[in-house]
Amino acid sequence: ETDQSRQVISKLKDDDFMVEGYKSLKTHRRYLDHFPKNETIVPLDGVGGTFTLVKSHVHRSGVGFPAWLFQHQVETEGFAKLAKAHGYGVYGLPYYYIRHVTD
């Protein structure tokens, strides 16, 4: 989260959730491609679903992709929040490029 994104979150009602990827919805978050490519590992507050590596003991401890609202997030974004709430670290690899392929 950034200072600006924390301000946005602080103004949300308990049952409001944030979604990513829409230009009309400004979350003021930094995305992985905003980090310098020479950084090897960066701590994250959220993850996407394109390519996520999770150690098996994290899932076995009960951390999953919540279908319910957790800290204003659901599914992949909620997963990182839930993992951090359970004491796990969440990290990204800004030098690792994942490409979506369309038919």
Side-chain angles (χ1 to χ4, degrees):
E1 300 292 351
T2 64
D3 289 340
Q4 287 180 306
S5 69
R6 285 185 196 96
Q7 286 179 347
V8 170
I9 292 169
S10 72
K11 296 175 185 174
L12 295 175
K13 298 174 189 169
D14 288 343
D15 60 348
D16 286 345
F17 69 96
M18 292 180 68
V19 294
E20 301 293 331
Y22 296 93
K23 290 181 182 182
S24 61
L25 300 172
K26 303 290 184 202
T27 62
H28 302 287
R29 289 179 165 157
R30 288 180 66 196
Y31 295 100
L32 198 55
D33 61 346
H34 296 160
F35 290 92
K37 299 298 182 220
N38 60 351
E39 289 189 52
T40 57
I41 298 176
V42 294
L44 300 176
D45 293 307
V47 298
T50 301
F51 187 80
T52 304
L53 296 173
V54 181
K55 291 185 176 183
S56 60
H57 71 272
V58 175
H59 283 305
R60 289 185 189 124
S61 75
V63 177
F65 296 89
W68 65 92
L69 191 61
F70 184 78
Q71 295 182 3
H72 304 290
Q73 303 282 211
V74 295
E75 299 173 353
T76 55
E77 291 89 355
F79 172 77
K81 299 282 188 181
L82 189 58
K84 290 181 81 167
H86 280 82
Y88 295 107
V90 179
Y91 302 93
L93 308 171
Y95 61 87
Y96 201 84
Y97 182 73
I98 303 297
R99 185 174 173 193
H100 286 266
V101 178
T102 59
D103 292 334

